[in-house]
């Protein structure tokens, strides 16, 4: 069976040294040759919320959903996962 979950800490993609996490969505998107993400990274969402910038947060969330779907489709096309 194909994996239902891809753990990015156990993939060919490298995390930022010392981050303690697997690869970011930005890293995976770049490695798969998908369109680059253009909104601020998730690490900036708290500051955006504090600044009241809900429109940018909404755009970030929508972009992440689209990018996650694109990654899933690409991984399925490569035979890594079954959808």
């Amino acid at each position: 069976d194909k994996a239902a979950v891809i753990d990015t800490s156990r993939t060919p993609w490298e995390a930022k040294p010392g981050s303690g996490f697997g690869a970011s969505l930005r890293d995976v998107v770049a490695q798969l040759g998908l369109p680059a993400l253009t909104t601020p990274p998730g690490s900036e969402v708290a500051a955006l919320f504090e600044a009241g910038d809900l429109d940018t947060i909404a755009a970030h969330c929508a972009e992440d959903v689209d990018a996650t779907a694109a990654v899933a489709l690409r991984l399925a096309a490569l035979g890594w996962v079954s959808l």
Side-chain angles (χ1 to χ4, degrees):
D1 281 331
K2 304 275 189 231
V5 174
I6 299 292
D7 180 352
T8 61
S9 68
R10 300 179 192 283
T11 64
W13 302 297
E14 295 284 329
K16 293 185 177 95
S19 72
F21 297 105
S24 71
L25 181 57
R26 288 177 188 277
D27 296 334
V28 174
V29 163
Q31 289 295 315
L32 292 173
L34 297 168
L37 302 179
T38 60
T39 60
S43 62
E44 295 180 18
V45 168
L48 291 167
F49 181 79
E50 291 294 325
D53 194 352
L54 301 182
D55 289 340
T56 299
I57 295 170
H60 162 80
C61 291
E63 185 177 56
D64 271 10
V65 168
D66 291 344
T68 300
V71 166
L73 291 171
R74 180 63 56 89
L75 294 179
L78 293 170
W80 283 31
V81 297
S82 177
L83 299 179

